[in-house]
Coordinates of all heavy atoms in Angstrom, one line a residue:
P1 N -3.6 17.5 8.3 CA -4.6 17.3 7.2 C -4.2 16.3 6.2 O -5.0 15.5 5.8 CB -4.6 18.7 6.6 CG -4.0 19.7 7.5 CD -3.1 18.9 8.4
L2 N -2.9 16.2 5.9 CA -2.4 15.2 5.0 C -2.6 13.8 5.5 O -3.0 12.9 4.8 CB -0.9 15.5 4.6 CG -0.3 14.4 3.7 CD1 -1.0 14.4 2.4 CD2 1.2 14.7 3.6
M3 N -2.3 13.6 6.8 CA -2.5 12.3 7.5 C -3.9 11.9 7.4 O -4.2 10.7 7.1 CB -2.0 12.4 8.9 CG -2.1 11.2 9.7 SD -3.6 11.0 10.8 CE -3.5 12.5 11.7
L4 N -4.8 12.8 7.7 CA -6.3 12.4 7.6 C -6.7 12.0 6.3 O -7.4 11.0 6.1 CB -7.1 13.6 8.1 CG -7.1 13.9 9.6 CD1 -7.7 15.2 9.9 CD2 -7.8 12.8 10.3
V5 N -6.3 12.7 5.2 CA -6.6 12.3 3.9 C -6.0 11.0 3.5 O -6.7 10.1 3.0 CB -6.1 13.4 2.8 CG1 -6.2 12.9 1.4 CG2 -6.9 14.7 3.0
M6 N -4.8 10.7 3.9 CA -4.1 9.5 3.6 C -4.8 8.3 4.3 O -5.0 7.2 3.7 CB -2.6 9.5 4.0 CG -1.8 10.5 3.2 SD -1.6 10.0 1.5 CE -0.6 8.6 1.7
L7 N -5.2 8.5 5.6 CA -5.9 7.4 6.3 C -7.2 7.1 5.7 O -7.6 6.0 5.6 CB -6.0 7.8 7.8 CG -4.8 7.6 8.6 CD1 -5.0 8.2 10.0 CD2 -4.4 6.2 8.7
V8 N -8.0 8.1 5.2 CA -9.3 7.9 4.6 C -9.1 7.1 3.3 O -9.8 6.2 3.1 CB -10.0 9.3 4.3 CG1 -11.2 9.1 3.4 CG2 -10.4 9.9 5.6
L9 N -8.1 7.5 2.5 CA -7.8 6.7 1.3 C -7.4 5.3 1.5 O -7.9 4.4 0.9 CB -6.7 7.4 0.4 CG -7.1 8.8 -0.1 CD1 -5.9 9.5 -0.8 CD2 -8.3 8.7 -1.1
V10 N -6.5 5.1 2.5 CA -6.1 3.7 2.8 C -7.3 2.9 3.3 O -7.5 1.7 2.9 CB -5.0 3.7 3.9 CG1 -4.8 2.4 4.6 CG2 -3.7 4.3 3.4
T11 N -8.1 3.4 4.2 CA -9.3 2.7 4.7 C -10.3 2.4 3.6 O -10.8 1.3 3.5 CB -10.0 3.5 5.8 OG1 -9.0 3.8 6.8 CG2 -11.1 2.8 6.4
A12 N -10.6 3.4 2.7 CA -11.6 3.2 1.6 C -11.1 2.1 0.7 O -11.9 1.2 0.3 CB -11.8 4.5 0.9
Y13 N -9.8 2.2 0.3 CA -9.3 1.1 -0.6 C -9.4 -0.3 0.1 O -9.9 -1.2 -0.6 CB -7.8 1.4 -0.9 CG -7.3 0.5 -2.0 CD1 -7.4 0.9 -3.3 CD2 -6.6 -0.6 -1.7 CE1 -6.9 0.1 -4.3 CE2 -6.1 -1.4 -2.7 CZ -6.2 -1.1 -4.0 OH -5.7 -1.9 -5.0
T14 N -9.1 -0.4 1.3 CA -9.2 -1.6 2.0 C -10.6 -2.1 2.1 O -10.9 -3.3 2.0 CB -8.6 -1.5 3.4 OG1 -7.2 -1.0 3.3 CG2 -8.5 -2.9 4.1
V15 N -11.6 -1.2 2.4 CA -13.0 -1.6 2.6 C -13.5 -2.1 1.2 O -14.2 -3.1 1.2 CB -13.8 -0.4 3.1 CG1 -15.3 -0.7 3.0 CG2 -13.5 -0.2 4.6
F16 N -13.2 -1.4 0.2 CA -13.8 -1.7 -1.1 C -13.2 -2.9 -1.9 O -13.7 -3.5 -2.7 CB -13.9 -0.5 -2.0 CG -14.9 0.5 -1.5 CD1 -14.5 1.7 -1.1 CD2 -16.3 0.2 -1.4 CE1 -15.4 2.7 -0.6 CE2 -17.2 1.1 -0.9 CZ -16.7 2.4 -0.5
K17 N -11.9 -3.2 -1.5 CA -11.2 -4.3 -2.1 C -11.2 -5.5 -1.1 O -10.3 -5.7 -0.4 CB -9.8 -3.9 -2.5 CG -9.1 -4.8 -3.4 CD -8.2 -4.1 -4.3 CE -7.3 -5.0 -5.0 NZ -7.7 -5.7 -6.1
K18 N -12.4 -6.1 -1.1 CA -12.7 -7.1 0.0 C -11.7 -8.3 0.1 O -11.5 -8.8 1.2 CB -14.1 -7.6 -0.1 CG -15.1 -6.4 0.0 CD -16.5 -7.0 0.3 CE -17.5 -5.9 0.4 NZ -17.3 -4.9 1.4
D19 N -11.3 -8.8 -1.0 CA -10.4 -10.0 -1.0 C -8.9 -9.6 -0.8 O -8.1 -10.5 -0.7 CB -10.6 -10.8 -2.3 CG -10.1 -10.1 -3.5 OD1 -10.1 -8.8 -3.5 OD2 -9.8 -10.7 -4.5
W20 N -8.6 -8.3 -0.8 CA -7.2 -7.8 -0.7 C -6.6 -8.2 0.6 O -7.2 -8.0 1.7 CB -7.2 -6.3 -0.9 CG -5.9 -5.7 -1.1 CD1 -4.9 -6.2 -2.0 CD2 -5.3 -4.6 -0.5 NE1 -3.8 -5.4 -2.0 CE2 -4.1 -4.4 -1.1 CE3 -5.8 -3.7 0.4 CZ2 -3.2 -3.3 -0.7 CZ3 -5.0 -2.6 0.8 CH2 -3.7 -2.5 0.2
G21 N -5.5 -8.9 0.6 CA -4.8 -9.2 1.8 C -5.3 -10.5 2.5 O -4.8 -10.8 3.6
Q22 N -6.1 -11.2 1.8 CA -6.6 -12.5 2.4 C -5.7 -13.6 2.2 O -5.6 -14.5 3.1 CB -8.0 -12.8 1.8 CG -9.1 -11.8 2.1 CD -9.2 -11.6 3.6 OE1 -9.4 -12.5 4.4 NE2 -9.2 -10.3 4.0
Q23 N -5.0 -13.6 1.1 CA -4.0 -14.6 0.8 C -2.7 -13.9 0.4 O -2.7 -12.9 -0.3 CB -4.4 -15.5 -0.4 CG -5.7 -16.3 -0.1 CD -5.5 -17.4 1.0 OE1 -4.4 -18.0 1.0 NE2 -6.4 -17.6 1.8
P24 N -1.5 -14.5 0.8 CA -0.3 -13.9 0.4 C -0.1 -14.1 -1.2 O -0.5 -15.2 -1.7 CB 0.8 -14.6 1.1 CG 0.1 -15.9 1.6 CD -1.3 -15.6 1.7
K25 N 0.4 -13.1 -1.8 CA 0.7 -13.2 -3.3 C 2.1 -12.9 -3.5 O 2.5 -11.7 -3.4 CB -0.3 -12.3 -4.0 CG -1.7 -12.7 -4.0 CD -2.6 -11.7 -4.7 CE -4.0 -12.1 -4.8 NZ -4.8 -11.8 -3.7
E26 N 2.9 -13.9 -3.9 CA 4.3 -13.6 -4.1 C 4.4 -12.8 -5.4 O 3.9 -13.1 -6.4 CB 5.0 -14.9 -4.3 CG 6.5 -14.8 -4.3 CD 7.1 -14.3 -3.0 OE1 6.6 -14.7 -1.9 OE2 8.0 -13.5 -3.0
R27 N 5.0 -11.6 -5.3 CA 5.2 -10.7 -6.4 C 6.7 -10.5 -6.7 O 7.4 -10.3 -5.7 CB 4.5 -9.4 -6.1 CG 3.0 -9.5 -5.9 CD 2.3 -8.2 -6.1 NE 0.9 -8.4 -6.1 CZ 0.0 -7.7 -5.4 NH1 0.4 -6.7 -4.7 NH2 -1.3 -8.0 -5.5
T28 N 7.0 -10.5 -7.9 CA 8.3 -10.1 -8.4 C 8.3 -8.6 -8.7 O 7.5 -8.2 -9.6 CB 8.8 -10.9 -9.6 OG1 8.7 -12.3 -9.2 CG2 10.2 -10.6 -9.9
L29 N 9.1 -7.8 -8.0 CA 9.1 -6.4 -8.2 C 10.3 -6.0 -9.1 O 11.4 -6.5 -8.9 CB 9.2 -5.7 -6.9 CG 8.1 -5.9 -5.8 CD1 8.4 -5.3 -4.5 CD2 6.7 -5.5 -6.4
S30 N 10.0 -5.1 -10.0 CA 11.1 -4.5 -10.8 C 12.0 -3.7 -10.0 O 11.6 -3.3 -8.9 CB 10.5 -3.7 -12.0 OG 9.9 -2.5 -11.4
T31 N 13.1 -3.4 -10.5 CA 14.1 -2.5 -9.7 C 13.4 -1.2 -9.4 O 13.6 -0.7 -8.3 CB 15.4 -2.3 -10.5 OG1 15.9 -3.6 -10.8 CG2 16.4 -1.5 -9.8
V32 N 12.7 -0.6 -10.4 CA 12.1 0.7 -10.1 C 11.0 0.6 -9.0 O 11.0 1.5 -8.1 CB 11.4 1.2 -11.4 CG1 10.6 2.4 -11.2 CG2 12.5 1.5 -12.5
K33 N 10.2 -0.5 -9.0 CA 9.2 -0.6 -7.9 C 9.9 -0.9 -6.6 O 9.4 -0.4 -5.6 CB 8.3 -1.8 -8.3 CG 7.3 -1.4 -9.3 CD 6.2 -2.5 -9.5 CE 5.2 -2.0 -10.6 NZ 4.3 -3.1 -10.9
K34 N 11.0 -1.6 -6.6 CA 11.7 -1.9 -5.3 C 12.2 -0.5 -4.8 O 12.1 -0.3 -3.6 CB 12.9 -2.8 -5.5 CG 12.5 -4.3 -5.7 CD 13.7 -5.1 -5.9 CE 13.3 -6.5 -6.2 NZ 14.5 -7.4 -6.5
I35 N 12.8 0.3 -5.6 CA 13.3 1.6 -5.2 C 12.1 2.5 -4.7 O 12.3 3.1 -3.6 CB 14.1 2.3 -6.3 CG1 15.4 1.5 -6.6 CG2 14.4 3.8 -6.0 CD1 16.1 1.9 -7.8
A36 N 11.0 2.4 -5.4 CA 9.8 3.2 -5.0 C 9.3 2.7 -3.6 O 9.0 3.6 -2.7 CB 8.7 3.1 -6.0
F37 N 9.3 1.4 -3.4 CA 8.8 0.9 -2.1 C 9.8 1.3 -1.0 O 9.4 1.7 0.1 CB 8.6 -0.6 -2.1 CG 7.2 -1.0 -2.6 CD1 7.1 -1.8 -3.8 CD2 6.1 -0.7 -1.9 CE1 5.9 -2.1 -4.3 CE2 4.8 -1.1 -2.4 CZ 4.7 -1.8 -3.5
V38 N 11.1 1.2 -1.2 CA 12.1 1.5 -0.2 C 11.9 3.0 0.1 O 12.0 3.4 1.3 CB 13.5 1.2 -0.7 CG1 14.5 1.8 0.2 CG2 13.7 -0.3 -0.7
G39 N 11.7 3.8 -0.9 CA 11.5 5.3 -0.7 C 10.3 5.5 0.1 O 10.3 6.4 1.0
A40 N 9.2 4.8 -0.2 CA 8.0 5.0 0.6 C 8.1 4.5 2.0 O 7.6 5.2 2.9 CB 6.8 4.2 -0.1
F41 N 8.8 3.4 2.3 CA 9.1 3.0 3.6 C 9.9 4.0 4.4 O 9.7 4.3 5.6 CB 9.8 1.6 3.7 CG 8.8 0.5 3.4 CD1 8.9 -0.3 2.3 CD2 7.8 0.2 4.3 CE1 8.1 -1.4 2.1 CE2 6.9 -0.9 4.1 CZ 7.1 -1.7 3.0
A42 N 10.9 4.6 3.7 CA 11.8 5.6 4.4 C 10.9 6.8 4.7 O 11.1 7.4 5.8 CB 13.0 6.0 3.5
A43 N 10.0 7.2 3.8 CA 9.1 8.4 4.0 C 8.2 8.1 5.2 O 8.0 9.0 6.0 CB 8.3 8.7 2.7
I44 N 7.7 6.9 5.3 CA 6.8 6.6 6.4 C 7.7 6.6 7.7 O 7.2 7.0 8.8 CB 6.1 5.2 6.2 CG1 5.1 5.4 5.1 CG2 5.4 4.8 7.5 CD1 4.5 4.0 4.7
G45 N 8.9 6.1 7.6 CA 9.8 6.2 8.8 C 10.0 7.7 9.2 O 9.9 8.0 10.4
F46 N 10.2 8.6 8.2 CA 10.4 10.0 8.5 C 9.1 10.5 9.2 O 9.1 11.2 10.2 CB 10.6 10.8 7.2 CG 10.7 12.3 7.4 CD1 11.9 12.9 7.7 CD2 9.5 13.0 7.3 CE1 11.9 14.3 7.9 CE2 9.6 14.4 7.5 CZ 10.8 15.0 7.8

């Protein structure tokens, strides 16, 4: 059930944000955001 909800949210966000991901945008991430992303990637690995 969690996977289904997450996929619906990911898809909806992508559909409604039409220009998202069309061009690369170099972003400088704070240390807190870097840690959050690493944690999210590890969670997806799990």
Side-chain angles (χ1 to χ4, degrees):
L2 177 62
M3 179 264 306
L4 286 169
V5 170
M6 295 291 292
L7 282 173
V8 168
L9 293 174
V10 164
T11 305
Y13 189 87
T14 306
V15 166
F16 291 114
K17 194 145 167 85
K18 297 198 183 303
D19 64 337
W20 194 45
Q22 296 304 308
Q23 297 292 322
K25 292 181 173 82
E26 193 62 39
R27 295 197 172 137
T28 305
L29 300 174
S30 68
T31 302
V32 172
K33 285 186 179 178
K34 285 179 185 176
I35 292 169
F37 274 116
V38 167
F41 281 116
I44 293 170
F46 176 89

